[in-house]
Amino acid sequence: MRDVQNEKDKRNIKINMVGIKSIEYPIIVLDRKFGTQQTVGKFDLFVDLPKDFRGTHMSRFVEVLERHHRKITPRNMESILDDMRESLKADVAHIKVEFPYFIRKNAPVSGSESFSSFRCSFNTMKDGAFDFILGVKVPVMTVCPCSKEISDRGAHNQRAEVSAFVRMNSLVWIEEIIEFVEKSSSAPIYSLLKREDEKYITEHSYDNPRFVEDLSREVVLFLQEDDRISWYRVEVISQESIHNHEAYACIEKE
């Protein structure tokens, strides 16, 4: 049978990344409390393609997923990239996987327990050297300091989303990043709250107003103090409640 992908290409143009995007696959990731957690990953898998090859073998990306989906961790991502490079005869391999991660949280007063979901990602690449970035998106509540200062009654508040991306020297748990961010906000958010919890969250957030600038800096203070973290980028998007735009701040370690 003719192998069209392996035919020679005469256009003399290398392709930097070729592969498959947005394939969903069941995976198992590390969980600080329970050891592991089953979830669903959305994968982008790419390799480079030399200038003299017409195409790559797309089915081999799925075969790699089949061999490794039972556990996806910071420790084994390099071996998965090596498998891709070998299977596809490539010099460079990229894997990005996004997945929902669930944590059981207790409401602050009633103690009512419920699941909270966080969007996480592993962004990896190997071209001889191995690069791994953990991403965690954390929804929180913010109260505007300016609104509090100038208002006779109350202050406007909104939901904000903090995206923290880190390179690590040793394992940093997803839960730890979430804790850093929630401590930096006006207040955490929960799936289940009773009336006494709502009262507490409202008053607590009012006592801890945050601009997006404040929130981004507070998160960075935590990250700077952690010797396991060698690089970070923190982005904050505030879904403003009294404006028709969003507020944004970003801090990245050079």
Side-chain angles (χ1 to χ4, degrees), residues 142-158 186 205-206 208-214 240 242-243:
T142 59
V143 169
C144 177
C146 181
S147 177
K148 177 181 176 180
E149 181 66 25
I150 65 177
S151 300
D152 293 329
R153 297 184 300 277
H156 79 79
N157 60 77
Q158 52 274 316
S186 295
S205 62
Y206 187 79
N208 294 277
R210 293 283 190 270
F211 293 125
V212 290
E213 297 93 332
D214 297 320
E240 295 291 280
I242 64 170
H243 303 292

Side-chain angles (χ1 to χ4, degrees), residues 212-230:
V212 290
E213 297 93 332
D214 297 320
L215 181 47
S216 60
R217 286 169 170 151
E218 289 294 325
V219 174
V220 165
L221 286 177
F222 280 109
L223 301 181
Q224 285 178 336
E225 293 175 0
D226 196 319
D227 292 336
R228 297 169 298 170
I229 296 172
S230 59

Side-chain angles (χ1 to χ4, degrees), residues 29-37 71 173:
V29 297
L30 294 179
D31 184 306
R32 183 174 66 175
K33 185 175 181 180
F34 299 105
T36 59
Q37 179 177 143
K71 185 173 283 190
W173 292 98

Side-chain angles (χ1 to χ4, degrees), residues 42-217:
K42 180 181 284 189
F43 285 84
D44 298 339
L45 302 103
F46 309 124
V47 294
D48 65 324
L49 188 69
K51 61 185 179 181
D52 52 345
F53 282 91
R54 183 176 179 184
T56 193
H57 293 270
M58 298 292 182
S59 63
R60 294 182 185 175
F61 291 101
V62 183
E63 290 172 348
V64 170
L65 273 184
E66 270 295 310
R67 288 193 286 270
H68 297 279
H69 73 275
R70 290 174 182 85
K71 185 173 283 190
I72 303 293
T73 74
R75 293 191 180 98
N76 70 0
M77 291 301 293
E78 185 172 9
S79 65
I80 302 174
L81 291 164
D82 286 335
D83 192 355
M84 282 176 57
R85 294 170 75 200
E86 182 178 353
S87 299
L88 291 137
K89 297 180 173 58
D91 293 323
V92 185
H94 304 260
I95 298 174
K96 179 180 180 180
V97 54
E98 297 180 335
F99 54 93
Y101 189 81
F102 294 90
I103 293 177
R104 299 286 285 174
K105 291 178 66 176
N106 295 96
V109 180
S110 70
S112 300
E113 193 174 28
S114 61
F115 278 111
S116 290
S117 174
F118 303 87
R119 299 298 305 180
C120 300
S121 64
F122 296 160
N123 297 272
T124 68
M125 185 269 288
K126 188 165 186 185
D127 61 354
F130 172 60
D131 188 38
F132 179 98
I133 296 175
L134 167 65
V136 184
K137 292 185 178 181
V138 184
V140 294
M141 181 179 177
T142 59
V143 169
C144 177
C146 181
S147 177
K148 177 181 176 180
E149 181 66 25
I150 65 177
S151 300
D152 293 329
R153 297 184 300 277
H156 79 79
N157 60 77
Q158 52 274 316
R159 184 184 299 183
E161 184 178 71
V162 180
S163 297
F165 303 92
V166 300
R167 288 189 175 99
M168 303 173 283
N169 300 317
S170 57
L171 180 64
V172 177
W173 292 98
I174 291 171
E175 291 88 342
E176 292 179 282
I177 301 295
I178 294 169
E179 290 165 3
F180 290 161
V181 172
E182 290 185 337
K183 289 176 182 177
S184 303
S185 67
S186 295
I189 64 172
Y190 300 82
S191 298
L192 176 61
L193 293 172
K194 299 296 187 179
R195 283 180 296 176
E196 58 267 35
D197 301 310
E198 292 189 20
K199 179 180 185 297
Y200 174 84
I201 290 294
T202 301
E203 294 173 347
H204 179 78
S205 62
Y206 187 79
D207 291 336
N208 294 277
R210 293 283 190 270
F211 293 125
V212 290
E213 297 93 332
D214 297 320
L215 181 47
S216 60
R217 286 169 170 151

